[in-house]
């Protein structure tokens, strides 16, 4: 099954981004094709050393593990530009892209989960 997870919450403000990446990782382990698209404040999840909820490992570690295990993370370029993130260090394997990627994933995936 192809599954899209859209994250639009900044890491460290709550647990949503952290748990979205945990679920993405588990779905990947179960053999599904999993795509993560970061939009709005969710683009902060791809930045190196993105925090996690207090007392929990950081979000960037979860994202990096997800990519190492075969997951795909792309993020909204205009969201990154408006937040001044284009030249910041990000997790290896993440990619800035446009909404065409997101709409293609929306129409091509069997399930969509929004965080």
């Amino acid at each position: 099954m192809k599954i899209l997870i859209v994250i639009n919450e900044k890491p460290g403000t709550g647990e949503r981004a952290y748990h979205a990446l945990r679920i993405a990782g588990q779905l990947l382990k179960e053999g599904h094709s999993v795509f993560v698209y970061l939009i709005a404040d969710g683009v902060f999840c791809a930045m190196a050393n993105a925090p996690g909820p207090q007392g929990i490992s950081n979000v960037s570690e979860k994202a990096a593990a997800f990519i190492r295990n075969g997951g795909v993370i792309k993020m909204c370029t205009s969201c990154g530009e408006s937040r001044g993130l284009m030249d910041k260090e990000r997790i290896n394997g993440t990619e800035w892209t446009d909404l065409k990627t997101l709409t293609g994933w929306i129409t091509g995936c069997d399930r969509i989960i929004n965080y």
Side-chain angles (χ1 to χ4, degrees):
M1 181 178 298
K2 291 182 181 179
I3 301 167
L4 168 62
I5 298 178
V6 179
I7 301 174
N8 57 54
E9 182 176 279
K10 187 176 184 176
T13 58
E15 296 183 19
R16 295 177 69 146
Y18 173 76
H19 289 298
L21 289 165
R22 286 183 62 219
I23 290 167
Q26 183 60 40
L27 289 166
L28 200 61
K29 285 180 187 175
E30 293 175 8
H32 301 285
S33 296
V34 184
F35 308 92
V36 173
Y37 194 88
L38 307 176
I39 195 165
D41 280 346
V43 294
F44 286 101
C45 294
M47 298 300 107
N49 301 311
Q54 233 176 1
I56 300 177
S57 66
N58 71 39
V59 168
S60 53
E61 289 173 3
K62 284 285 178 204
F66 173 73
I67 292 168
R68 278 193 309 273
N69 291 321
V72 177
I73 297 179
K74 295 192 180 188
M75 54 223 174
C76 175
T77 300
S78 61
C79 296
E81 288 173 345
S82 67
R83 289 162 176 80
L85 299 177
M86 300 310 292
D87 296 326
K88 303 284 184 193
E89 184 181 358
R90 65 180 197 275
I91 300 164
N92 287 335
T94 58
E95 180 184 338
W96 294 110
T97 190
D98 56 24
L99 287 180
K100 186 173 183 172
T101 298
L102 177 58
T103 58
W105 283 353
I106 289 170
T107 58
C109 285
D110 302 302
R111 299 283 187 273
I112 302 167
I113 303 169
N114 186 36
Y115 276 91

